Amino acid sequence: METTSTYDKASGEFIVHSPTDLSQKYWISNGFHHANMAVVFAQTIVNGKNEGVNPFLVPTRDSNHELMPGVQNRDMGVKIGVNGVDNAILRFTNVRIPRNNMLTKYAEVDATGTYQSELAKPSQRFFAVTERLLSGRICIAGLCIGATRGCLYVAIKYAKQRMSIGPEGLSTVPIMNYQLQQNAIMPLMARMFALNVYYNFVRQAFKEQTLGWEIPSLCSSIKTMMSWNAERTATTTRERCGGMGFLSSSRFAEYLAVAHTGLTAEGDNRVLMHKITKDLILAVTKKGYVLPKPKLNVKAQIGTMDDVSSLELISDLFRFRVETLLAKLGAKTAELKKQGKSPYEVNMMGTSNLIQDLAMAYGERRMIDSCLDFLGGLDSAQDRKVMECVFRVAAIDCVKRDLSFYISEKAIKPQAGANLLIAQ
Ligand SMILES: Cc1cc2nc3c(=O)[nH]c(=O)nc-3n(C[C@H](O)[C@H](O)[C@H](O)COP(=O)(O)OP(=O)(O)OC[C@H]3O[C@@H](n4cnc5c(N)ncnc54)[C@H](O)[C@@H]3O)c2cc1C
């Protein structure tokens, strides 16, 4: 981050400046037409010392909506969708703002020009201020639920009306009755419901702030999982509506664009997955966090069963996957370090797949445990039966994707794996 905010003791002002083309702020939502204020993150220079990144409130337009002196903004350009949201490129050339425009939750500069913060390291302050993005990640997940539901609604409604070949050779059967159509659409819908329950759990945890180190991981995990599911749903449902799905009026293109917004905005999904795993390792190795254990002995008990399709067993399998991947990542890291690789090489060049898989395993373990809690809170036996079936479809879909892992780890025997495919 190159934009600076330099404290000028004489005037009691900060001077916000973007020194290079690359230091411009890209993609700023609402920044071109609508906003008249921006929260700008900038390297904070006080008495010649860089105190790290802090946030500042910078007026970008005056009361007549004219640009403020030193503020340049441009439209990002035509996007692949969501063009109703305006996105700007913002640049600041020696823009002066009062000292009080520094947002001071974690640090401040007093009238004498002294920088103060209870957080000792600039990196700690950076992570503290970027926690403001957490609520945004929950909002993105919510946005993606809407897009996913929209796709499913259009696709299922269409599939129930579109008649195709029936047993007598005439167009008498709605395509929704076909196994192929159901197998494509239903797991996506089931995952959407399971993720919705997980989303409600994350929102509550964020509101109550009771889960400590896990809060950022939960917010990132729900954002990544929900946006990937929205993207997969938009692509699949578009295809499942045939030519009609290709019409703009079917809205799949817009839903797909919303999903892609979700993949990238408020932090790229893959980068967030990396952070989830990093925080999990830190919690286990430095903060005394104990991973939730499977209730059964997975290899000795679940590994000998023919039917592993119950939610309780799958919850155990997910816990097993988290602890096994964590152990594998530890072993691979140790092996690469022994070969003389630097921590950077280990992280960025040697263990990426394990890091990504572990973050997803963490999220799916949380998702299924939220679903089990949700079922426990339902009064009606009928509701419980229906929702349990939905969650099982979602859970089995995850196990199917990772079946080679479970079989090679002897957590599921091959016959039980084959039975699972039928069970779904
Ligand atoms: C619709 C929309 C609205 C936005 N609104 C705002 C806004 O209001 N304010 C704002 O400040 N920003 C906003 N953004 C910007 C957004 O936060 C960034 O685009 C996002 O964080 C990704 O950064 P990037 O574009 O630099 O992508 P890059 O970091 O260049 O990512 C490109 C690819 O490289 C990969 N990659 C990058 N780094 C790593 C790594 N360390 N390890 C592995 N892979 C990596 C990524 O996975 C990705 O696939 C918005 C973006 C969009 C699309």
Side-chain angles (χ1 to χ4, degrees):
M1 188 178 292
E2 292 179 69
T3 292
T4 51
S5 183
T6 306
Y7 187 61
D8 175 23
K9 211 191 278 188
S11 62
E13 293 172 322
F14 283 100
I15 303 164
V16 180
H17 188 62
S18 325
T20 63
D21 284 351
L22 276 181
S23 68
Q24 296 178 99
K25 302 285 184 182
Y26 290 88
W27 281 109
I28 307 308
S29 298
N30 305 314
F32 184 58
H33 290 295
H34 299 93
N36 50 17
M37 283 277 185
V39 175
V40 177
F41 288 73
Q43 303 286 353
T44 309
I45 316 291
V46 183
N47 295 323
K49 185 176 170 208
N50 187 341
E51 300 286 2
V53 173
N54 289 276
F56 298 85
L57 203 53
V58 180
T60 51
R61 291 178 182 276
D62 64 18
S63 53
N64 295 320
H65 218 55
E66 298 295 333
L67 283 177
M68 296 292 281
V71 175
Q72 293 108 52
N73 86 357
R74 282 180 290 143
D75 185 33
M76 273 305 294
V78 180
K79 295 166 285 187
I80 63 171
V82 289
N83 281 294
V85 176
D86 99 58
N87 286 96
I89 302 173
L90 281 182
R91 186 167 189 163
F92 306 97
T93 307
N94 294 318
V95 174
R96 287 184 169 266
I97 53 168
R99 179 176 61 88
N100 286 342
N101 280 28
M102 180 175 181
L103 299 175
T104 54
K105 182 165 180 188
Y106 298 108
E108 65 181 318
V109 174
D110 68 18
T112 66
T114 308
Y115 183 90
Q116 295 167 342
S117 174
E118 285 179 7
L119 301 172
K121 291 191 204 155
S123 60
Q124 287 175 308
R125 299 197 282 267
F126 178 71
F127 284 119
V129 291
T130 54
E131 289 210 349
R132 288 314 311 148
L133 296 174
L134 296 181
S135 56
R137 288 182 191 141
I138 297 177
C139 293
I140 295 234
L143 184 76
C144 289
I145 297 179
T148 313
R149 284 188 186 160
C151 292
L152 290 166
Y153 175 78
V154 173
I156 292 172
K157 197 164 178 197
Y158 180 72
K160 285 168 87 174
Q161 292 169 8
R162 165 80 166 105
M163 297 296 169
S164 191
I165 197 87
E168 66 293 327
L170 300 172
S171 293
T172 52
V173 174
I175 54 173
M176 196 64 226
N177 287 17
Y178 296 152
Q179 193 182 29
L180 209 59
Q181 195 78 353
Q182 291 175 8
N183 284 351
I185 293 176
M186 289 308 165
L188 296 169
M189 185 161 82
R191 188 170 173 90
M192 189 271 293
F193 279 120
L195 283 173
N196 205 148
V197 169
Y198 180 32
Y199 167 77
N200 292 342
F201 166 79
V202 173
R203 272 191 354 175
Q204 196 61 23
F206 183 74
K207 192 170 147 204
E208 292 169 359
Q209 293 287 318
T210 44
L211 290 174
W213 71 269
E214 253 194 295
I215 298 288
S217 299
L218 291 170
C219 297
S220 298
S221 144
I222 191 62
K223 184 266 203 199
T224 57
M225 290 168 74
M226 198 69 96
S227 55
W228 271 317
N229 195 48
E231 186 272 329
R232 204 154 62 100
T233 304
T235 301
T236 303
T237 48
R238 204 289 319 143
E239 180 193 348
R240 289 285 145 193
C241 289
M244 288 303 182
F246 200 65
L247 281 175
S248 169
S249 59
S250 70
R251 307 194 64 188
F252 291 119
E254 197 61 13
Y255 290 137
L256 190 63
V258 168
H260 275 269
T261 303
L263 305 182
T264 300
E266 303 289 320
D268 168 81
N269 274 8
R270 290 288 162 203
V271 175
L272 292 181
M273 297 290 267
H274 204 116
K275 176 85 169 45
I276 291 169
T277 292
K278 191 175 151 212
D279 286 353
L280 182 64
I281 293 170
L282 261 179
V284 170
T285 56
K286 300 259 158 60
K287 298 182 183 167
Y289 175 69
V290 180
L291 288 176
K293 295 262 170 257
K295 293 187 183 77
L296 299 181
N297 181 322
V298 170
K299 290 189 185 193
Q301 292 175 283
I302 302 179
T304 61
M305 295 177 184
D306 285 328
D307 179 1
V308 297
S309 67
S310 81
L311 271 184
E312 284 75 13
L313 291 180
I314 294 180
S315 164
D316 269 5
L317 287 169
F318 283 8
R319 288 168 183 225
F320 171 81
R321 184 164 159 83
V322 172
E323 61 186 24
T324 306
L325 289 176
L326 186 65
K328 280 177 184 284
L329 181 56
K332 183 79 186 167
T333 302
E335 180 195 322
L336 292 172
K337 279 188 179 160
K338 220 167 142 192
Q339 290 170 15
K341 306 277 188 221
S342 68
Y344 174 82
E345 287 170 314
V346 171
N347 270 325
M348 303 304 291
M349 315 294 175
T351 52
S352 291
N353 288 349
L354 277 170
I355 288 171
Q356 295 290 317
D357 285 353
L358 178 52
M360 183 56 83
Y362 162 82
E364 288 178 343
R365 196 281 293 168
R366 268 288 183 199
M367 174 183 82
I368 285 307
D369 285 358
S370 309
C371 292
L372 282 167
D373 288 347
F374 174 83
L375 289 174
L378 288 179
D379 294 331
S380 144
Q382 179 60 17
D383 289 353
R384 234 187 348 266
K385 194 170 156 205
V386 172
M387 290 317 294
E388 186 176 352
C389 179
V390 170
F391 296 151
R392 276 178 69 211
V393 171
I396 291 173
D397 208 40
C398 304
V399 179
K400 257 170 63 180
R401 184 198 58 213
D402 300 323
L403 203 50
S404 59
F405 163 86
Y406 290 111
I407 290 179
S408 65
E409 291 296 327
K410 301 195 170 14
I412 295 182
K413 61 180 190 176
Q415 185 55 49
N419 293 343
L420 261 189
L421 306 188
I422 299 162
Q424 194 189 22

